[in-house]
Amino acid sequence: MSSDVKRHLRVPGIILANLYGRCISAEQDLEGLIFGTVSTRVIHSVNDAEANLNTVVANILIDAFTSTGSNHSFYDTSGAINVQTLEKLCHSRVSQGHQLLGWFKFRRHVAGRPSLLDATVQRELAQFCRRHDNTKTISSHPYFGLFTLSETTDAGLQFDYKFFCGSTLAQSAQTRIEIINLVNSSSTEYAELANAQSPFRMTSDASSPQDSFSTLSKQFLSTMPSTFGSAVPPPYVQETERFFVTTMKTMSSLVEEISAKEKEIKRLEAELAARKSGQQPTASKPPPTFDLLSGD
């Protein structure tokens, strides 16, 4: 029997935005600790090579962070961790049910890769996590988040972030992080449909298709909610579908009426051309004049 561990690192967008806001507002470089929760589940599978293969899926959610200072806030210049200082920094978060997941560093105008000092601190933090991690899901695998801010060629600002996992910070240790509330979901298309408000509304009392489009009413929009949120009630979806079906029917009627008008115009042009070719053009008479003073 063997086991494999698959880790999925996730963070809410609001947490990431708050962390960036804290970094930007800092006068100098900033570093701190990352906290969160870890939930695991075991998947049992059988294949031809092994009779019993267990896969441990660890969902790691970042839900808090603590800024600790600009540099060397919980370690010295050589990268050795001050255990007492680190335990003191973790105490308030751990007492609230959080778990230490790793640490982060924010730098300005530098390349987005860890330094040798970062690698040393990461290795020391892995040993600290090995001694204090009760779930053993991130033991010797803490995360390091590197945030950078640099200027672009067009005088703009570029934000970037990378996350690394493991006791070393080699480029191969870079890991993917998922922003959980910025991904597509089953209700994303419905939400976009609700936000795409249309000014057209077909009315049953219109005398012609032109009148249907000239009388733009807000009856349809008034029946729709201002925002659907994460779920769309089926009645609103059905109302939207009926609206677009009516729109297509009215557009078809307009196309037929315009085609009939074009045929009528061509017929009148042909009749006018025939009359001009069969008769001499008569001299135009001046319009009659009226003497307003005489009353005639």
Side-chain angles (χ1 to χ4, degrees), residues 143-165:
Y143 289 93
F144 172 64
L146 180 58
F147 297 82
T148 58
L149 174 64
S150 58
E151 294 183 359
T152 60
T153 55
D154 54 354
L157 295 177
Q158 178 178 354
F159 299 95
D160 192 15
Y161 64 91
K162 297 178 181 178
F163 276 81
F164 300 84
C165 178

Side-chain angles (χ1 to χ4, degrees), residues 85 115 145 292:
T85 302
S115 64
L292 299 179

